[in-house]
Amino acid sequence: MINLIIFGPPGSGKGTQSARIVERYKIAHISTGDLFREEMAKGTALGEEIARYIDKGMLVPDGIVIRELKQAVEKHCQQGGIIFDGFPRTLTQAVMLDEMLEGECYPVDLVISVEVDENELLKRLIGRSEDSGRSDDAEHIIWKRIEVYKSQSLPLVSYYQNQGKLVKINGMDPVDKVFKKIAMAIDTYMSKKEVIAEIQ
Ligand code: B4P
């Protein structure tokens, strides 16, 4: 049983690495980005509201995010563990997650912060835009998303450092190499309950 958060700027590889983590550790995957894209694809009123934020590179308001997430957490929290991908992205969301997991569920064990420099983020997301069809992968929107990450999401690094749960991973390497580092952090935690602060 292990509950993980994968955290990082847009394009740092949260979705890419989550898929590998799920395959290896057989835990549930909750991606707020995927939940929102599904809702947008259904063309519901909620989906249209969500699109108004995502299309501009802004965060979806906390109220909507928390409502959507709550159901997913309740469904999975008694099972073998969860990886939260792209959530939390604000301090309010982080505090809400801690509260949501109290009682019936288990707390967050590790927060994997994947660090990638801005030029590399831009290169990856522009590369993805060629076939993703994602409205938020246009260059001017990518810059906006990076700016939003710095102002609204980066404060979470000290929030989780203060809880002694943060592992910084250098995410500049190829996908397999980044995954090896993540797996080392998870395996060390699972076998010794030790949090490695940083893996270059
Ligand atoms: P997300 O779906 O979370 O997506 P992301 O940040 O763009 O990407 P990710 O880091 O997962 O990158 P990926 O693995 O795909 O969010 C989308 C939007 O939804 C947000 O901007 C926001 O508006 C909204 N949202 C989501 N959650 C929210 C929340 N909690 N609160 C409010 N709003 C929320 O990788 C990107 C590319 O890089 C891919 O093409 C991949 O192949 C490539 N890549 C990955 N790792 C690589 C590596 N090591 N080397 C080379 N290329 C690599």
Side-chain angles (χ1 to χ4, degrees):
M1 170 85 196
I2 188 161
N3 283 340
L4 305 170
I5 291 173
I6 187 154
F7 175 81
S12 54
K14 299 182 293 291
T16 305
Q17 296 297 334
S18 292
R20 287 164 187 249
I21 292 168
V22 166
E23 198 187 332
R24 172 142 172 189
Y25 296 96
K26 313 287 179 224
I27 56 179
H29 180 207
I30 300 180
S31 157
T32 36
D34 288 350
L35 287 174
F36 296 151
R37 282 185 287 277
E38 276 162 30
E39 200 61 45
M40 292 193 295
K42 284 192 233 155
T44 58
L46 177 62
E48 282 173 19
E49 190 182 352
I50 288 170
R52 282 200 286 277
Y53 296 95
I54 291 193
D55 289 352
K56 294 195 193 89
M58 291 159 66
L59 293 183
V60 175
D62 287 337
I64 297 179
V65 180
I66 290 160
R67 206 171 58 222
E68 288 290 294
L69 191 97
K70 227 173 164 178
Q71 293 171 354
V73 171
E74 279 163 11
K75 188 167 150 204
H76 295 294
C77 85
Q78 292 282 349
Q79 297 166 8
I82 301 176
I83 176 152
F84 295 95
D85 164 8
F87 178 91
R89 264 174 155 99
T90 64
L91 274 174
T92 305
Q93 291 179 17
V95 173
M96 285 303 300
L97 179 63
D98 284 343
E99 286 177 15
M100 241 184 257
L101 295 175
E102 257 172 38
E104 302 289 297
C105 305
Y106 300 90
V108 169
D109 293 293
L110 273 188
V111 179
I112 296 158
S113 172
V114 185
E115 310 206 327
V116 174
D117 73 33
E118 288 182 11
N119 289 334
E120 176 69 14
L121 295 174
L122 195 68
K123 196 174 98 194
R124 289 183 190 177
L125 291 175
I126 288 177
R128 182 173 72 182
S129 71
E130 285 163 17
D131 46 30
S132 71
R134 276 177 56 167
S135 57
D136 58 345
D137 281 345
E139 186 168 342
H140 66 292
I141 305 291
I142 296 171
W143 281 117
K144 172 73 185 169
R145 288 162 63 201
I146 293 174
E147 193 189 297
V148 165
Y149 168 78
K150 285 192 205 159
S151 62
Q152 299 191 52
S153 304
L154 213 47
L156 293 181
V157 168
S158 37
Y159 180 82
Y160 287 115
Q161 255 166 349
N162 291 338
Q163 292 191 359
K165 295 179 177 173
L166 194 87
V167 185
K168 288 187 179 179
I169 301 276
N170 175 352
M172 294 288 288
D173 292 317
V175 173
D176 285 346
K177 201 164 169 197
V178 174
F179 180 64
K180 270 195 186 145
K181 295 187 251 188
I182 293 176
M184 186 201 287
I186 298 174
D187 292 344
T188 303
Y189 181 82
M190 288 176 94
S191 59
K192 303 189 210 157
K193 292 278 177 269
E194 266 174 36
V195 178
I196 306 177
E198 187 162 357
I199 305 180
Q200 274 303 319

